[in-house]
Amino acid sequence: MFRPKLFVLLPDLDRETLAKDAVAGVLVGIVALPLAIAFAIASGVSPEKGLVTAVVGGFIVSILGGSRVQIGGPTGAFIVIVYGIVQQYGLNGLMIATLMAGVILVIMGLAQFGSLIKFIPYPVVVGFTSGIGVIIFSSQIKDFLGLDMGTPPADFLGKWEAYLAHLGTVHVPTLATGSLALAIILLWPKVSRKVPGSVIALVATTALVRLCGLDVETIGSRFGSIPSSIPAPSVPVLDFATIRELVIPATTIAVLAAIEALLSAVVADGMIGGRHKSNMELIAQGAANIVSPLFGGIPVTGAIARTATNIRNGGRTPVAGIVHALTLLLIMLVFGRWAALIPMSTLAAILIVVAWNMSEYHVFRQLLKSPRSDVVVLLTTFGLTVIFDLTVAIEVGLLLAVVLFMRRMADIANVEVVTRELKDREEDADDPLAIVSRDVPERVEVYEINGPFFFGAASKFKESMRIVENPPAVRILRMRNVPVIDATGLNMLKDLVTHSERTGTRIVLSGVHPQPLETMRQYGIVNGIGEENVLENIDDALERARKILHLLDNASAPPSRSAS
């Protein structure tokens, strides 16, 4: 249970796998560069602290983690809580809170709480993340517009009042630079998805500002030069009074880190057909959060988008995550001083896109169609996060999660389901139905959903599919480990199916249990997919996929000329 994935996989590593992991790691490192800098600045700390976090934290998560492909580093989920800690307790307080969060995460892992985190209802998670997305967006308006004002108020309503009061001070060159960066980020995927738009926007706008001599605030003009080395480790000044005050913020960091990391690991499992060890993953996240602040870093967790990028580029073992960290270290050592030229409005544009993705607008809207209890939980956690305080939202949200969980257990009344999900099993190498033992045709993709409550991960998977260069012709959803499905899960699944069909991808269901199948029939999902595309096992599903490919190829083939 407590053996890191890297050491499990080491005996079977071959040269081909290592080569693919190395390529994936380099690409993910490039993707992580602008995000690490942007997350640090938005959190109220200097940009190099984000890079240090991605290097140190990402390395430790890959070395000790319980997932094959998890990429660790700073994420948008921490921006709100970290900014608040820095403003109230300073950098020393942030170091202490992050260390405490790391210890809490290690204790959670040793106590085998990893399997419990997965039972947090998805409306609670979406309420947190959507609220955080709104706050991140609000925090970037000043830099995006170049408003001539002091530090905006911390509270949400006060911040927007201040923005409106200073709207007449918009700086046109800053707005133009930010708008150009935003346009590149949004439109670049139509050109290519190999290199993310954020990297192209960063390079293009930095060169434009430098060559044209535009009067635009940059990282250098605000923070000075960026160090080109990892700082020596240092221990924060500890006192009992500060530790006591930071217990709740540290717990908030730990809970957010656990939720984000395990949700990312679940998404990765579905994409590669594996199974992560949740308790080992929590221990790794804890170790990363203990070591990262010693080098000046900020909180660490699993990054869903970067993990999906790793998988889509061929990463299959923790070696890719290690290479990602080393790539960022190399960039920091060689090109660190050039990062001072990056315009602040470009970073604001990157974070505005991050905020939009975190807000999960489509998922939020879909959840509003769920049972009333889910809607109440969603709106409560969202409102508390935006209007009041993330710490309060976490406390109330977890309480609501317990109540909602008990209600669902009363509805499901299936002890076997809960017992199986509480077990933190290793991947079963002898599984006769494992997808790795099957010949999956080109243009066919298999995604496996594990557990009755993981449809939140399905929506995350749908979002991660945006980075795919070419959507598959057929997507097989394996549901052999989904014994029950509730209204929230049905909404998530229907949204996933609709999105796949919109991109021209045919859906095939494999191994659906009687209860979910009957419920999906009543909900109209099976009718939309077609009864012929619901198969009993993976072999039948793969055979059906081959027939669909054959029909598609015949339909696209030019008509043969008749003999004259």
Side-chain angles (χ1 to χ4, degrees), residues 215-227:
D215 180 23
V216 173
E217 186 177 27
T218 63
I219 290 177
S221 63
R222 181 179 295 186
F223 297 98
S225 60
I226 296 180

Side-chain angles (χ1 to χ4, degrees), residues 4-83:
K5 277 287 184 182
L6 177 63
F7 299 100
V8 174
L9 299 172
L10 269 178
D12 299 322
L13 285 180
D14 54 46
R15 185 173 300 178
E16 182 181 358
T17 302
L18 287 173
K20 291 180 178 179
D21 285 339
V23 172
V26 171
L27 292 173
V28 177
I30 295 172
V31 170
L33 174 66
L35 295 174
I37 294 173
F39 290 147
I41 293 175
S43 300
V45 299
S46 53
E48 76 276 3
K49 295 186 182 301
L51 292 173
V52 168
T53 305
V55 172
V56 176
F59 184 82
I60 293 175
V61 166
S62 295
I63 288 286
L64 300 178
S67 169
R68 285 172 168 261
V69 290
Q70 181 87 281
I71 300 295
T75 70
F78 292 127
I79 288 177
V80 178
I81 186 67
V82 170
Y83 184 85

Side-chain angles (χ1 to χ4, degrees), residues 540-555:
D540 290 345
L542 288 170
E543 184 60 32
R544 175 60 186 164
R546 293 186 183 95
K547 290 180 180 179
I548 293 175
L549 290 178
H550 181 70
L551 292 173
L552 292 175
D553 291 340
N554 287 341

Side-chain angles (χ1 to χ4, degrees), residues 442-560:
E442 291 287 333
R443 297 183 293 156
V444 174
E445 185 175 70
V446 180
Y447 182 78
E448 181 160 8
I449 303 174
N450 286 294
F453 300 106
F454 286 170
F455 285 89
S459 69
K460 288 286 187 183
F461 165 73
K462 182 196 73 176
E463 294 299 317
S464 70
M465 286 302 96
R466 293 182 179 180
I467 66 172
V468 180
E469 184 72 22
N470 295 306
V474 181
R475 177 172 290 136
I476 299 174
L477 296 182
R478 296 192 76 181
M479 300 181 65
R480 58 176 177 158
N481 294 322
V482 184
V484 289
I485 184 170
D486 62 4
T488 303
L490 286 168
N491 281 323
M492 293 296 109
L493 183 59
K494 186 174 183 180
D495 196 38
L496 176 63
V497 170
T498 302
H499 172 78
S500 297
E501 291 177 344
R502 192 181 302 126
T503 59
T505 300
R506 303 290 183 90
I507 296 294
V508 174
L509 300 180
S510 167
V512 187
H513 288 250
Q515 189 271 349
L517 182 59
E518 182 59 32
T519 307
M520 286 190 290
R521 283 198 177 103
Q522 295 173 2
Y523 206 67
I525 294 176
V526 172
N527 186 52
I529 294 175
E531 288 281 355
E532 70 278 8
N533 291 324
V534 180
L535 288 307
E536 290 187 1
N537 55 62
I538 188 60
D539 293 322
D540 290 345
L542 288 170
E543 184 60 32
R544 175 60 186 164
R546 293 186 183 95
K547 290 180 180 179
I548 293 175
L549 290 178
H550 181 70
L551 292 173
L552 292 175
D553 291 340
N554 287 341
S556 61
S560 58

Side-chain angles (χ1 to χ4, degrees), residues 114-179:
S115 302
L116 294 175
I117 297 293
K118 64 183 72 173
F119 288 101
I120 294 179
Y122 200 53
V124 175
V125 179
V126 173
F128 293 150
T129 55
S130 297
I132 292 170
V134 170
I135 295 174
I136 293 174
F137 172 78
S138 301
S139 69
Q140 298 308 305
I141 299 302
K142 175 180 177 290
D143 286 340
F144 187 78
L145 300 179
L147 300 180
D148 185 11
M149 59 184 292
T151 302
D155 65 291
F156 177 77
L157 297 178
K159 193 182 265 88
W160 279 99
E161 288 178 5
Y163 290 154
L164 293 174
H166 293 83
L167 203 56
T169 65
V170 172
H171 188 243
V172 175
T174 298
L175 175 58
T177 303
S179 299

Side-chain angles (χ1 to χ4, degrees), residues 272-517:
I272 66 174
R275 185 179 179 89
H276 73 283
K277 296 193 285 186
S278 56
N279 296 311
M280 190 65 239
E281 185 63 29
L282 287 185
I283 292 173
Q285 298 292 336
N289 280 288
I290 291 172
V291 177
S292 173
L294 300 180
F295 291 88
I298 58 178
V300 179
T301 189
I304 295 175
R306 275 160 274 170
T307 298
T309 302
N310 178 33
I311 295 170
R312 301 312 305 180
N313 285 286
R316 287 298 180 273
T317 76
V319 173
I322 295 172
V323 173
H324 138 269
L326 296 177
T327 300
L328 278 171
L329 176 61
L330 183 63
I331 292 173
M332 186 177 181
L333 297 178
V334 178
F335 302 106
R337 61 191 182 93
W338 296 103
L341 302 176
I342 298 172
M344 293 300 299
S345 56
T346 296
L347 295 179
I350 292 173
L351 284 170
I352 285 173
V353 175
V354 169
W356 172 255
N357 292 333
M358 283 194 68
S359 69
E360 298 185 290
Y361 165 71
H362 299 293
V363 178
F364 196 99
R365 185 178 61 181
Q366 195 72 26
L367 281 174
L368 291 177
K369 304 174 184 177
S370 299
R372 186 174 302 174
S373 58
D374 284 15
V375 175
V376 170
V377 170
L378 172 69
L379 296 179
T380 300
T381 52
F382 175 77
L384 289 173
T385 302
V386 173
I387 305 299
F388 292 97
D389 180 76
L390 181 60
T391 301
V392 175
I394 290 281
E395 293 171 349
V396 177
L398 290 180
L399 177 61
L400 292 172
V402 171
V403 175
L404 197 58
F405 171 73
M406 289 190 297
R407 176 173 177 174
R408 286 182 174 172
M409 284 299 94
D411 292 339
I412 293 171
N414 189 333
V415 177
E416 180 188 355
V417 171
V418 182
T419 304
R420 183 172 61 248
E421 289 306 315
L422 285 173
K423 295 178 180 178
D424 198 17
R425 304 193 309 267
E426 177 64 87
E427 293 178 40
D428 189 358
D430 299 323
D431 181 6
L433 297 177
I435 194 62
V436 293
S437 64
R438 297 299 190 273
D439 179 23
V440 180
E442 291 287 333
R443 297 183 293 156
V444 174
E445 185 175 70
V446 180
Y447 182 78
E448 181 160 8
I449 303 174
N450 286 294
F453 300 106
F454 286 170
F455 285 89
S459 69
K460 288 286 187 183
F461 165 73
K462 182 196 73 176
E463 294 299 317
S464 70
M465 286 302 96
R466 293 182 179 180
I467 66 172
V468 180
E469 184 72 22
N470 295 306
V474 181
R475 177 172 290 136
I476 299 174
L477 296 182
R478 296 192 76 181
M479 300 181 65
R480 58 176 177 158
N481 294 322
V482 184
V484 289
I485 184 170
D486 62 4
T488 303
L490 286 168
N491 281 323
M492 293 296 109
L493 183 59
K494 186 174 183 180
D495 196 38
L496 176 63
V497 170
T498 302
H499 172 78
S500 297
E501 291 177 344
R502 192 181 302 126
T503 59
T505 300
R506 303 290 183 90
I507 296 294
V508 174
L509 300 180
S510 167
V512 187
H513 288 250
Q515 189 271 349
L517 182 59

